[in-house]
Amino acid sequence: MRWDKIAQSEEFKHLVKIKAWFMTIAIIFSTVYYFALPLSVGYLKPFMIQKVTGSINIAYWFALSQFFMAWIIAGIYAWVANHSFDPIADKIRRENAGGLER
Amino acid sequence: MNFMGIGMFIVIVAITLMITYWASHHNKTTTEFYAAGRSISGIQNGFAIAGDYMSAASFLGIAGLIALNGYDGFMYSVGWLVAYIVVLILVAEPMRNSGRYTMADVLAYRLSPVPVRTAAAASTLVISTFYMLAQMVGAGTLIKMLLGIPYEGSIIFIGIMMILYVTFGGMLGTTWVQIIKAGLLMFGAIFLTFWVLGKFHFNLVSFFDAITGKLGQSFLEPGKLYKNPIELVSLGMALVLGTAGMPHILMRFYTVPTAKAARTSVLWAMGLIGSFYIMTTFLGFGAAYFVGGDAIKAVDKGGNMAAPLLAQTLGGGKGSLGGEFLLAFISAVAFATILAVVAGLTLAASSAFAHDFYVNVLKKGKADEVTQVRVAKRTGVVVGVIAIALGILAKGQNVAYLVALAFAVASSANIPVILFAIFWKRFNTGGAVAGIIVGLVSSVGLMMIGPQVMGKAALFPLGNPGIVSIPLGFLAAYLGTILTTEKTVHSDKFDELYVRANTGLGAE
């Protein structure tokens, strides 16, 4: 099995490129969104404790939204992985399955 | 003595022992023992990850933190789910594609096996020991409170149970114990949440209006627990990165057949864990409203009894049949929770010692299946005995900081090395060993000279060292790589690892 050949193939390079692109955006977005929570309640407290619905303030909704942010990112990842990453990976696997020494 | 509680504990113990007996017939090869023969489905593994992860510290601890501190406790709970984004996107699938049983398998692929396996086994054993000790001490205190069984008796009993699960049931038995526990925990949380919110006609606004009416608007405002935002950022960094470096979580990805199943399992785990923590916050706020902070603190000043006391109050109060039944049920769920987590940790610790250190370092990979499984099972017994001994020695100590420490070590020692091994071609053995050692020593060292251990005399200002030790781990892994020139040929293996990790080609 020539692993370096697969590593240099256009298909594999394309797969790695789109994965890296997606991962970078997803990780940067979720990191910024998550760390904005402790920083904003720490340093922008007067703004964050403004009440929006009854006695519930912005800080509460922002913290609760983190759960949905995580689920939405996970959902997008699953969709992109199923539709864009898996078909390429499957094809590379099929094409090279024969040469596998084990 | 609480006879209803003891009755439910016995039912849970009986069910888990039957599972263990069934699983013991499928436990002959190393793949069966460490990875349940890769026979677990994505959904099953999702439940098992949730069961492995949601410890008594999170169920009882977070509910208590919120009941006593309001908003700050809620903010703390957020990081436990957000952490799974890193697990899902960066770690789960590459690990499944390129490893066999442990994190060190992935490192040993392209790096010099003996030093990296030794270093990885050391960090895994340190993380497992700290985390397990926190669980054991918490469990001993909890069972004493719930059932009136003496602390030492509880520790010995839990130790024996986890040895039985791991040595006879292996990964298959442990997985099913975790699945059942996750189911019970979700059921308990859903049941109580509906009861609490039902009292407010499922209207979130009237729920919080009632709470702030009773406890003041400041209960829903930050600042009661965390005075320093940097402290919370540091804790958040350790949680978010550390989860992906926790050996008992990483190990779960080897139990499924493919990377796609690993992805499915993280998605299910995120659904379960996220909804569980959201519900826990309602239980915490509900306990503050229905039970009250003073009544909770009167039973346990750490607030750990908030959720069980809420159940008791909702059921009709102390002494009533409904109240005692619900208290017993929630206590039994908490007990099942502890058993499932310690079993997962025991298995992770024994795989690090038996698979990484004994078989691949001492025996240079030359050990037959029968010997490997025998060594792994014996290690499980030794780990259990050590956990019992440490648990008894730590009686009465405040060990809550050990959970934070375990996450700090996992994020500082394991994560830089895992990420570099998967994504950086130039990375080498020197970098891996330096990263693990510096990450391990700096996180433990800074914790020891910080306020959680030294109190007011602390030399380091933060109780959570992540914000310093995580960059140090990355820096050491980087410098260790740049400053050493590897003489072996392992650097060619990067292409192989990279292709395997990204496509699943040749995955076992």
Side-chain angles (χ1 to χ4, degrees):
Chain A
M1 171 67 76
R2 293 296 307 272
W3 296 98
D4 54 335
K5 265 217 170 109
I6 306 175
Q8 253 110 64
S9 70
E10 285 307 315
E11 256 176 341
F12 183 74
K13 278 195 202 155
H14 175 66
L15 172 68
V16 176
K17 199 174 141 194
I18 57 174
K19 270 178 119 171
W21 185 81
F22 179 86
M23 285 174 179
T24 312
I25 292 177
I27 293 292
I28 289 177
F29 176 80
S30 53
T31 306
V32 170
Y33 196 87
Y34 172 63
F35 286 103
L37 176 67
L39 292 173
S40 63
V41 299
Y43 295 112
L44 302 171
K45 189 174 164 188
F47 173 75
M48 299 300 284
I49 62 173
Q50 290 177 70
K51 293 191 262 183
V52 279
T53 44
S55 54
I56 308 177
N57 52 26
I58 300 177
Y60 179 84
W61 288 120
F62 188 31
L64 189 65
S65 76
Q66 299 273 343
F67 289 95
F68 295 91
M69 180 276 292
W71 283 330
I72 291 168
I73 301 250
I76 297 174
Y77 173 76
W79 196 88
V80 172
N82 286 333
H83 288 83
S84 302
F85 304 161
D86 285 356
I88 308 177
D90 289 345
K91 184 155 176 274
I92 296 174
R93 251 198 338 267
R94 263 198 319 276
E95 283 167 356
N96 295 284
L100 211 60
E101 27 153 45
R102 33 176 50 240
Chain B
M1 280 280 189
N2 175 343
F3 290 103
M4 205 174 327
I6 291 177
M8 284 196 212
F9 278 42
I10 291 171
V11 172
I12 288 180
V13 168
I15 293 171
T16 54
L17 284 180
M18 281 192 292
I19 293 170
T20 307
Y21 177 76
W22 160 75
S24 68
H25 299 299
H26 307 271
N27 219 0
K28 298 198 172 48
T29 65
T30 47
T31 310
E32 283 173 341
F33 184 76
Y34 292 125
R38 317 220 192 275
S39 65
I40 307 294
S41 78
I43 297 175
Q44 289 167 349
N45 197 39
F47 272 82
I49 292 170
D52 209 359
Y53 186 64
M54 299 184 296
S55 60
S58 48
F59 179 44
L60 301 173
I62 290 178
L65 219 51
I66 294 172
L68 299 183
N69 303 292
Y71 182 82
D72 277 6
F74 177 44
M75 184 163 63
Y76 170 73
S77 72
V78 166
W80 295 82
L81 175 69
V82 173
Y84 274 86
I85 297 177
V86 178
V87 178
L88 175 70
I89 294 183
L90 294 182
V91 176
E93 295 172 46
M95 289 303 260
R96 174 62 196 89
N97 274 336
S98 45
R100 293 177 68 211
Y101 310 126
T102 63
M103 154 194 128
D105 289 338
V106 178
L107 305 179
Y109 227 100
R110 52 178 293 222
L111 307 173
S112 192
V114 170
V116 295
R117 278 193 192 273
T118 310
S123 82
T124 299
L125 289 173
V126 168
I127 295 165
S128 313
T129 310
F130 287 157
Y131 205 54
M132 183 127 62
L133 188 52
Q135 297 289 331
M136 293 295 273
V137 175
T141 320
L142 188 77
I143 292 179
K144 182 164 179 281
M145 237 175 335
L146 297 172
L147 293 186
I149 299 172
Y151 178 89
E152 287 82 358
S154 317
I155 297 275
I156 293 170
F157 180 71
I158 292 173
I160 291 172
M161 289 303 293
M162 74 196 210
I163 291 173
L164 289 177
Y165 293 152
V166 170
T167 53
F168 292 101
M171 183 50 108
L172 187 63
T174 303
T175 301
W176 279 99
V177 169
Q178 289 167 346
I179 292 173
I180 288 179
K181 164 260 172 106
L184 277 174
L185 195 59
M186 290 306 287
F187 177 76
I190 291 170
F191 180 75
L192 283 182
T193 302
F194 268 79
W195 201 330
V196 168
L197 291 183
K199 299 223 177 220
F200 301 92
H201 308 290
F202 299 97
N203 182 337
L204 215 53
V205 174
S206 28
F207 177 56
F208 282 108
D209 281 348
I211 289 168
T212 51
K214 198 168 182 176
L215 301 161
Q217 182 66 29
S218 71
F219 198 70
L220 211 54
E221 289 174 356
K224 269 186 149 42
L225 183 61
Y226 301 108
K227 309 292 181 205
N228 178 358
I230 299 302
E231 186 79 75
L232 204 59
V233 170
S234 189
L235 173 65
M237 285 175 74
L239 267 184
V240 165
L241 289 172
T243 302
M246 277 295 190
H248 64 301
I249 302 293
L250 291 175
M251 199 177 181
R252 292 235 48 91
F253 296 119
Y254 300 119
T255 65
V256 293
T258 61
K260 206 176 164 88
R263 181 190 307 153
T264 310
S265 59
V266 186
L267 294 171
W268 273 87
M270 286 181 79
L272 292 166
I273 292 167
S275 29
F276 174 76
Y277 281 114
I278 292 179
M279 291 190 288
T280 306
T281 68
F282 294 137
L283 301 189
F285 284 119
Y289 182 79
F290 288 109
V291 186
D294 293 335
I296 295 167
K297 270 193 263 186
V299 183
D300 172 50
K301 59 182 187 308
N304 285 314
M305 289 297 284
L309 286 175
L310 173 68
Q312 192 188 38
T313 308
L314 290 176
K318 199 171 169 58
S320 72
L321 186 66
E324 293 305 318
F325 180 81
L326 277 184
L327 175 68
F329 175 71
I330 294 300
S331 306
V333 170
F335 173 69
T337 292
I338 293 161
L339 288 178
V341 175
V342 292
L345 286 166
T346 309
L347 203 53
S350 40
S351 70
F353 181 83
H355 176 66
D356 290 328
F357 193 72
Y358 178 83
V359 173
N360 282 299
V361 174
L362 289 184
K363 295 285 172 192
K364 304 278 182 271
K366 291 184 187 64
D368 59 49
E369 285 277 313
V370 179
T371 317
Q372 290 195 34
V373 174
R374 197 175 60 225
V375 172
K377 287 182 175 176
R378 284 183 187 166
T379 313
V381 176
V382 173
V383 170
V385 171
I386 293 174
I388 293 174
L390 288 176
I392 290 175
L393 285 175
K395 182 185 180 181
Q397 305 283 317
N398 180 5
V399 291
Y401 72 90
L402 287 177
V403 173
L405 182 52
F407 277 91
V409 175
S411 55
S412 314
N414 289 356
I415 283 301
V417 171
I418 290 174
L419 293 183
F420 281 162
I422 301 175
F423 295 106
W424 188 26
K425 185 165 187 168
R426 168 81 168 81
F427 191 51
N428 64 22
T429 307
V433 174
I436 291 177
I437 292 174
V438 170
L440 183 62
V441 172
S442 64
S443 48
V444 175
L446 290 173
M447 188 64 121
M448 290 303 147
I449 60 167
Q452 299 214 47
V453 176
M454 288 181 68
K456 290 222 182 313
L459 303 169
F460 180 72
L462 298 173
N464 292 287
I467 199 165
V468 176
S469 61
I470 295 168
L472 280 179
F474 275 100
L475 188 69
Y478 174 77
L479 289 180
T481 302
I482 295 296
L483 299 177
T484 53
T485 43
E486 190 133 4
K487 293 192 180 68
T488 47
V489 291
H490 301 290
S491 49
D492 319 341
K493 293 281 264 185
F494 177 73
D495 280 342
E496 178 174 347
L497 179 70
Y498 204 43
V499 172
R500 280 177 184 269
N502 280 294
T503 62
L505 189 60
E508 202 176 299

